[in-house]
Amino acid sequence: MNSPTRTPQTLVVLGVVFAGLALNFLLGSPNPSAPPRIPLVDTNFLDTSTVRRSYADLARAKEDLSDFDCYVCHEKGKAPTLRFDTNQNLIIPKEHADVVMGHGSHGRNNNCFNCHNETNLEFLQSRDGRQLKFSDSPQLCGSCHGPTYRDWEAGVHGRITGYWKRDLGEFQRKQCVNCHNPHSPRFPGRPPAPGPHPLHWNGTEAGESPAHPHS
Ligand code: HEC
Ligand code: HEC
Ligand code: HEC
Ligand code: HEC
């Protein structure tokens, strides 16, 4: 069957066909239904750091802890007096302007000494009277928020980062104050991250509803 003259002819034909295809590929045929360009994701959404840095984080990173040096301004052994306005709202002195209270509906837990130890400001004090270091604040929160604290210990509330396999590296449970401001703990809303980009493009721009497959 294989005649010696046919083989070169076939190779020439194939060569022409492939050259045509290559040309077509290089020049590119305009495709009217080309998917839209994928917009770059805001790098905000890729950041894995928590919304706040706790005292423990600052101490670990050996950063400025002067906000926690209470006795630079306060007198040792003398509890600061709490001042209230006529509506029984705490008056925050300007030295503590960064402390914005709003703990609970109707400011139910705004009293500084529900959490800070009035006789030693460098310590926290839990509901059941334990004296705690600033770096142990989850136990303070847990003294009033028992169920959430147990969820947190079980890894259901909050976030754990680091390594599961302990010999590879550290395992870290983020503290309550990494996400909640202790003074106004309501978690602020956040814009949702964009949805995944579909691999099978359905012919619509982001935000439009997909075209009906049968219409
Ligand atoms: C830069 C100075 C400064 C530092 C640092 C400071 N305070 Fe104060 N604080 C003040 C002044 C001024 C007042 C108002 C006068 C007063 O009550 O002594 C005040 C008032 C307070 C009050 C009463 C608040 C109110 O609404 O009446 C509390 C509680 C308090 N401080 C706790 C602390 C704790 C806890 C720390 C450390 C974690 C601290 N302060 C660090 C200056 C400071
Ligand atoms: C002395 C008790 C007490 C301690 C300590 C305490 N809380 Fe609260 N917390 C409350 C009360 C009371 C409410 C209000 C519940 C309500 O209004 O229904 C509240 C409400 C909240 C809320 C809901 C949001 C809001 O403002 O209503 C969050 C979140 C929260 N606390 C987080 C924390 C964190 C984090 C800590 C530790 C830094 C902490 N709490 C320590 C008593 C406490
Ligand atoms: C629900 C508990 C709670 C209450 C109520 C509370 N604090 Fe605090 N406060 C904390 C915790 C916990 C920290 C440490 C947070 C951290 O690790 O970042 C802190 C930190 C601070 C600091 C040092 C860091 C900073 O933000 O400047 C000051 C000063 C302070 N509190 C003052 C006050 C004053 C004044 C009041 C009352 C007006 C008050 N706090 C009420 C729990 C509380
Ligand atoms: C990794 C972040 C993170 C950590 C760590 C964390 N929380 Fe929360 N917490 C949240 C978020 C997010 C919400 C939900 C806010 C919402 O739904 O509006 C929340 C909600 C809450 C609420 C309100 C629940 C309700 O029914 O409204 C409380 C109380 C609370 N957390 C306490 C704590 C305590 C106490 C700890 C530490 C033992 C803690 N959280 C640790 C992120 C965190």
Side-chain angles (χ1 to χ4, degrees):
M1 287 287 282
N2 246 351
S3 91
T5 53
R6 277 229 187 131
T7 312
Q9 279 173 5
T10 317
L11 283 178
V12 167
V13 170
L14 277 176
V16 169
V17 167
F18 277 110
L21 281 173
L23 204 63
N24 182 51
F25 176 77
L26 285 176
L27 297 178
S29 64
N31 179 356
S33 66
R37 297 255 309 250
I38 304 176
L40 293 177
V41 170
D42 184 343
T43 50
N44 225 356
F45 292 113
L46 307 175
D47 187 2
T48 57
S49 57
T50 49
V51 292
R52 288 186 91 246
R53 294 181 77 203
S54 64
Y55 172 87
D57 292 335
L58 297 175
R60 216 177 291 128
K62 298 197 165 51
E63 283 181 33
D64 177 23
L65 291 171
S66 57
D67 278 352
F68 294 89
D69 259 344
C70 315
Y71 291 117
V72 165
C73 305
H74 289 278
E75 199 182 316
K76 272 207 169 121
K78 188 167 162 281
T81 27
L82 300 182
R83 291 178 187 83
F84 295 89
D85 66 14
T86 46
N87 295 324
Q88 291 303 302
N89 291 322
L90 263 179
I91 302 169
I92 312 284
K94 66 173 189 321
E95 285 79 2
H96 289 304
D98 59 327
V99 175
V100 179
M101 291 307 302
H103 198 133
S105 41
H106 314 292
R108 215 169 283 178
N109 189 32
N110 279 1
N111 189 317
C112 316
F113 303 132
N114 283 359
C115 298
H116 293 277
N117 185 337
E118 56 190 295
T119 56
N120 189 346
L121 294 176
E122 287 170 344
F123 286 88
L124 298 167
Q125 190 160 23
S126 68
R127 185 90 175 130
D128 49 353
R130 277 172 295 155
Q131 177 157 292
L132 302 167
K133 286 186 280 189
F134 277 114
S135 51
D136 293 331
S137 62
Q139 283 158 265
L140 166 78
C141 314
S143 70
C144 291
H145 296 285
T148 317
Y149 183 76
R150 286 190 289 276
D151 283 353
W152 177 79
E153 275 193 310
V156 182
H157 190 101
R159 197 179 102 196
I160 296 172
T161 50
Y163 294 85
W164 292 110
K165 201 167 172 338
R166 302 292 169 83
D167 49 331
L168 285 181
E170 205 194 342
F171 157 105
Q172 205 197 0
R173 183 164 277 143
K174 291 293 176 191
Q175 294 193 334
C176 319
V177 293
N178 276 130
C179 301
H180 300 283
N181 183 320
H183 303 130
S184 2
R186 191 180 300 284
F187 196 83
R190 287 166 26 128
H197 190 83
L199 287 178
H200 300 289
W201 186 57
N202 60 20
T204 58
E205 296 285 344
E208 285 176 23
S209 55
H212 195 281
H214 302 297
S215 60

